[in-house]
Amino acid sequence: MAKTVAGKTSRRKGQSSGGGKRSTGGALAAVRRFLLRAVIAFLAVFALYVAWLDAVVTRAFDAHRWTLPSRVYARPLDIYAGRPLTVDALLAELRELGYREVAAPAGPGEFAIAGSGQSVRLVTRGFAFPDGTTRAQRAEVAFSAARVERLTAADRVLRLEPVVIGAMRPQDAEDRVLMRLAERPPFLVEALFAVEDRDFPDHFGVSPRGMARAMFVNVQAGEVQQGGSTLTQQLVKNLFLDSERTIHRKLVEAIMAVLLEIHYDKNTILETYCNEIYLGQAGQRAVHGFALGSQYYFGRPVQELKLHEVALLVGLVKGPSQYNPWKHPDRALARRNVVLDALVATGAATAAQADAARAAPLGVVTSPRLRLNRYPAYMGIVREELRTRLSEDALAGDGLAVFTALDPAVQHAAESALARTLATVETAHRIAGLEGALVVSVPQTGEIEAAVGGRDYDFAGFNRVTDARRTVGSLMKPVVFLAALQRPAQYSLATFVSDGPVSAKSQGGTTWQPKNYDHVSHGEPPDHNVMLVDALANSWNLATARLGLDIGVDAVIRQARALGVEADLPPYPSVLLGSATLSPLEVLQMYQPLASGGLRIAPRAVRGVLAADGQVLLVRDTRTERVLTPATAFVLQHAMQEVLRRGTARSAYNVLPAEIDAAGKTGTTDNARDSWFAGYTGNHLAVAWVGYDDNRSTELSGASGALRVWADFNARLPQVPLSSVAPAGVEWAWLVPGGTARSAEGCAGAVRIPVIAGYVPDKASLCGGAGEAVEGVRGFFQRLFD
């Protein structure tokens, strides 16, 4: 019985033990199933995460890869024998282009001064212009008396490449400088590989061997000389990640690097790296890419860098602040030499090449600055013109080449004149905060050579050239006189008009009663008659108002429209004295036909646009419309020359030679809120404005403010005098005051003025005595044979 019980008990124990094993095995199986599911879930989540990273990488990388900015160029400088040009002007152009002064020019972008400072030897750079490609060539330019005396070159005309004045995407105005791999200087890629990623051609985004080698080199050197991250990883960090140093971020960086290598070839990755790498800080602007870094540190295109310069630029990749060549030149020099040693170690450079590079100085510019988009007012005009003249599809194209008419010498003269004159005027009048604008064009073509939108001309803020619409005041007076001179049977410059009190009904039934600036009526009472030429030269309001009312306000407005004014012109008598509001650029348009001899030409900044493939998208707008006869334009010009000879702008000849015989008009508005001057010589039409942005009184007239800016500007440049040769359809005549009869030189009150042919009075006056008789006989025979 006991045995039986024991046996049963034993079996029960066995059964109980077997059930425990099954229970344990089930638990383990459950754990395994859980772990398997967890792994599968993790892999699924990881796969989704990688897929998300993949989408982020491709989308963002494509945006960086294909966004090529448009480059904006100034006019090219053409050099030929006999051209008016000083040696200083040529040197300034070369330095603006980043040419290096050397003892003996050997390569493109180098020059030397010879011949006791009156000769320049240089090697030009080739360039693709819309009308053909110029090749790099050696040349020597000799100067004498502010002219090119001799040009020794392969071509009769030596054309320098144009200065880059901006790089932008016209749609959003972002400026960038990019480098194609084909444009890289020698040793750049090899230096990058040598110190940053020797396995780049072979790895798949990450390099375990590279990390191990970097650790070994750094331990041996006792400092960090090589990084463990590949170029691809560095690019990922720059494009997609922040500077956080965590295991998670490093893992994400590695994954993204592998994904990048899967989608893109090595050259694409390398080119993007070269354009995105951070190389320093220029004020508030980060310096990214070797092309921009070359401009910033060396002031030259990256293609022209020598070995010692390339080594310094690549050395900065490790730490631009730590190796800043201006703040820490010793550190920068040591880092540059580390790069040179690495080039020798990898066989990319010979020991002799490295030794020569070590002996060279750092070679950075004395004063660092980025020279792109230095002319914000002018660039604003360019952007607006591109938006109005090109389609959205054309503007969306990458890598456009935009050629403009900007003349760097004229632009610099305009900038200096405005800044200096405003400071001088403020000191003289004990005021502060004045602002101004200056815009310059070529009279014969309408091309805009310069634009300065404020005294802080590098500041890309409010562009007063295009956006400051101010009351123009007396700048409207030439339009009134022009409308009268279009009626030569009624008006000549000698015709009388009353400068006595005048009134007229105006808006809302009010009475308009203008006053002269000096509150005096000129001319002999009671009529106060003055000649038209005197009224314009002295800017007499009453005479101008009387003349405008006589010919009609509508006729004056039509005349302004013919000159190109599109802004609102109120049809009230006050418009005769300049109650309209125009921007300096709009004033330039109004005066362009006066300066060009009667041709209406829309002011243009853009000469042409090329697509990246060389297709011409836009050509120079050469359309003109004759709105004045050359004869009428010449007659008005004579009166505007009198403004400077003896009128309100006579002080200009305190700083300018009277021989240039310029023409122009001062403008002063009510309460002296605006000071204007618009005037031209044979080669420059310029409009200057001075005032306060809040429209308060400046206490300045046109002569004491804007005229000084205009005169200072013209004094800085060679000027071509206005021609004194009358065009066909003009006769010079001595007339009596009032213009009703011919007179003669020496007769009392006689004036010599240009008159539209066929409208010289038949009647001759007698001066008295023998002189009268002689003149009478002379007049008889002149009329007989005329």
Side-chain angles (χ1 to χ4, degrees):
M1 188 72 173
K3 188 175 181 180
T4 302
V5 171
K8 288 180 180 179
T9 302
S10 175
R11 283 195 298 274
R12 288 189 186 122
K13 288 182 179 178
Q15 289 171 355
S16 176
S17 174
K21 288 180 180 179
R22 283 194 297 273
S23 176
T24 302
L28 290 173
V31 170
R32 283 196 296 270
R33 285 194 299 273
F34 173 78
L35 290 175
L36 180 61
R37 290 186 185 121
V39 169
I40 292 173
F42 171 78
L43 290 175
V45 171
F46 182 74
L48 289 173
Y49 181 61
V50 170
W52 176 76
L53 288 179
D54 186 69
V56 170
V57 165
T58 54
R59 184 172 61 251
F61 188 79
D62 284 340
H64 279 81
R65 177 188 174 194
W66 299 117
T67 301
L68 297 177
S70 299
R71 293 192 177 185
V72 185
Y73 298 94
R75 62 92 187 96
L77 178 62
D78 291 333
I79 304 171
Y80 49 87
R83 176 185 174 129
L85 186 70
T86 65
V87 65
D88 289 340
L90 176 58
L91 294 176
E93 184 89 10
L94 294 176
R95 292 182 177 118
E96 185 79 13
L97 287 164
Y99 277 56
R100 291 184 304 163
E101 184 174 358
V102 296
E110 296 180 343
F111 75 93
I113 302 173
S116 301
Q118 290 301 305
S119 179
V120 177
R121 297 170 184 160
L122 69 154
V123 181
T124 65
R125 303 176 180 126
F127 192 83
F129 291 97
D131 56 355
T133 300
T134 60
R135 64 184 186 278
Q137 61 175 297
R138 295 178 179 274
E140 181 171 359
V141 186
F143 295 86
S144 177
R147 286 183 176 272
V148 176
E149 181 183 42
R150 184 182 69 259
L151 171 66
T152 305
D155 300 324
R156 293 181 60 186
V157 177
L158 182 68
R159 171 172 280 190
L160 298 182
E161 73 278 12
V163 174
V164 177
I165 64 172
M168 66 181 187
R169 293 206 300 262
Q171 289 181 312
D172 59 16
E174 178 184 327
D175 58 318
R176 297 285 302 276
V177 181
L178 300 185
M179 179 195 78
R180 294 294 193 185
L181 276 183
E183 300 171 340
R184 71 185 188 272
F187 301 106
L188 177 63
V189 169
E190 293 81 0
L192 266 179
F193 290 170
V195 295
E196 297 294 333
D197 188 359
R198 296 189 183 183
D199 298 325
F200 179 80
D202 304 315
H203 64 61
F204 52 89
V206 294
S207 176
R209 185 172 63 179
M211 288 187 284
R213 180 173 57 248
M215 183 180 296
F216 177 76
V217 170
N218 294 338
V219 168
Q220 274 194 327
E223 63 175 351
V224 179
Q225 290 190 353
Q226 293 185 14
S229 296
T230 64
L231 293 181
T232 312
Q233 287 175 276
Q234 293 179 41
L235 179 59
V236 163
K237 181 176 66 176
N238 287 340
L239 290 181
F240 313 120
L241 303 175
D242 54 31
S243 57
E244 181 186 11
R245 295 189 177 186
T246 63
I247 294 176
H248 173 262
R249 198 201 66 80
K250 289 295 292 183
L251 178 61
V252 171
E253 176 188 293
I255 294 171
M256 284 183 151
V258 172
L259 292 172
L260 206 59
E261 295 265 358
I262 290 172
H263 287 290
Y264 304 98
D265 61 69
K266 291 285 186 179
N267 280 346
T268 299
I269 293 171
L270 181 60
E271 183 173 276
T272 306
Y273 177 94
C274 289
N275 288 308
E276 292 293 340
I277 189 63
Y278 175 70
L279 292 173
Q281 196 72 26
Q284 295 183 343
R285 179 180 180 185
V287 179
H288 284 279
F290 289 118
L292 193 59
S294 178
Q295 297 267 1
Y296 180 58
Y297 289 103
F298 304 108
R300 297 203 316 283
V302 67
Q303 300 94 318
E304 296 179 7
L305 296 187
K306 307 300 183 184
L307 174 57
H308 66 283
E309 296 163 329
V310 167
L312 175 59
L313 212 53
V314 171
L316 290 172
V317 170
K318 182 184 172 186
S321 297
Q322 182 180 359
Y323 299 106
N324 185 307
W326 294 291
K327 293 182 178 179
H328 310 294
D330 293 339
R331 291 184 197 170
L333 192 66
R335 179 61 184 167
R336 182 196 72 176
N337 292 341
V338 167
V339 176
L340 293 172
D341 291 340
L343 281 167
V344 174
T346 57
T350 65
Q353 289 173 321
D355 289 341
R358 286 191 197 94
L362 288 174
V364 293
V365 296
T366 304
S367 177
R369 67 172 179 173
L370 291 177
R371 305 184 68 83
L372 289 174
N373 292 359
R374 285 193 58 238
Y375 314 117
Y378 196 92
M379 290 293 292
I381 296 172
V382 170
R383 289 189 182 97
E384 182 60 28
E385 195 171 325
L386 290 176
R387 278 192 285 265
T388 57
R389 298 182 65 193
L390 283 180
S391 67
E392 290 187 7
D393 289 342
L395 282 176
D398 297 336
L400 303 181
V402 181
F403 297 91
T404 75
L406 182 135
D407 187 318
V410 177
Q411 177 71 29
H412 295 161
E415 292 172 348
S416 299
L418 184 63
R420 171 182 161 177
T421 304
L422 290 183
T424 302
V425 168
E426 286 177 338
T427 300
H429 291 264
R430 297 183 179 180
I431 56 179
L434 282 176
E435 269 299 348
L438 183 61
V439 59
V440 186
S441 70
V442 179
Q444 296 78 17
T445 66
E447 290 187 322
I448 301 173
E449 298 179 285
V452 186
R455 64 192 303 167
D456 186 4
Y457 44 79
D458 278 338
F459 177 64
F462 182 53
N463 186 356
R464 295 169 187 83
V465 169
T466 56
D467 301 330
R469 300 177 64 85
R470 307 294 291 242
T471 306
V472 296
S474 297
L475 291 190
M476 185 62 72
K477 288 176 181 173
V479 183
V480 178
F481 284 77
L482 177 60
L485 292 172
Q486 297 275 33
R487 307 173 184 184
Q490 292 179 258
Y491 297 99
S492 74
L493 292 180
T495 301
F496 278 146
V497 63
S498 174
D499 193 49
V502 63
S503 63
K505 292 296 182 182
S506 187
Q507 184 180 14
T510 60
T511 300
W512 179 64
Q513 293 180 303
K515 304 292 183 183
N516 276 334
Y517 185 77
D518 57 5
H519 300 283
V520 174
S521 289
H522 306 90
E524 291 295 325
D527 296 327
H528 295 286
N529 284 332
V530 296
M531 290 188 293
L532 263 62
V533 66
D534 294 333
L536 185 58
N538 294 287
S539 198
W540 290 330
N541 292 336
L542 295 176
T544 304
R546 176 76 65 185
L547 179 64
L549 291 172
D550 287 348
I551 61 177
V553 173
D554 289 344
V556 174
I557 291 177
R558 286 195 300 272
Q559 184 64 74
R561 296 292 185 213
L563 294 175
V565 178
E566 298 178 354
D568 182 49
L569 297 175
Y572 306 112
S574 59
V575 78
L576 302 173
L577 299 183
S579 62
T581 58
L582 302 177
S583 70
L585 185 60
E586 289 172 318
V587 173
L588 187 82
Q589 169 64 84
M590 184 169 70
Y591 274 67
Q592 190 76 47
L594 310 183
S596 66
L599 292 176
R600 176 176 166 180
I601 310 167
R604 295 293 192 194
V606 178
R607 285 183 168 180
V609 179
L610 292 183
D613 61 1
Q615 178 187 358
V616 178
L617 301 180
L618 188 68
V619 296
R620 184 185 307 190
D621 187 352
T622 58
R623 291 173 297 174
T624 62
E625 179 186 358
R626 180 158 293 284
V627 294
L628 302 174
T629 65
T632 303
F634 184 84
V635 171
L636 179 65
Q637 176 177 290
H638 175 77
M640 295 174 67
Q641 288 172 302
E642 291 297 305
V643 173
L644 284 99
R645 291 169 183 157
R646 58 184 176 89
T648 56
R650 59 188 178 276
S651 61
Y653 290 137
N654 294 337
V655 295
L656 291 171
E659 292 75 23
I660 68 171
D661 211 11
K665 185 69 190 73
T666 53
T668 309
T669 61
D670 289 345
N671 299 317
R673 291 188 178 96
D674 302 282
S675 171
W676 288 94
F677 189 79
Y680 55 94
T681 64
N683 54 337
H684 299 298
L685 164 63
V687 176
W689 170 83
V690 173
Y692 287 115
D693 287 336
D694 61 6
N695 208 31
R696 69 183 188 271
S697 175
T698 64
E699 301 180 5
L700 299 173
S701 66
S704 60
L707 174 63
R708 297 181 65 176
V709 175
W710 183 90
D712 186 298
F713 160 74
N714 282 284
R716 296 171 182 268
L717 296 169
Q719 295 298 328
V720 175
L722 287 176
S723 174
S724 60
V725 178
V730 172
E731 298 179 37
W732 285 96
W734 286 93
L735 301 182
V736 299
T740 57
R742 296 196 313 278
S743 184
E745 184 177 6
C747 293
V751 291
R752 184 175 184 266
I753 59 170
V755 181
I756 300 298
Y759 292 95
V760 176
D762 291 331
K763 180 182 177 181
S765 68
L766 297 179
C767 296
E772 287 184 7
V774 171
E775 178 56 28
V777 173
R778 181 183 300 165
F780 170 78
F781 282 105
Q782 182 177 349
R783 291 193 303 276
L784 179 66
F785 290 106
D786 283 348

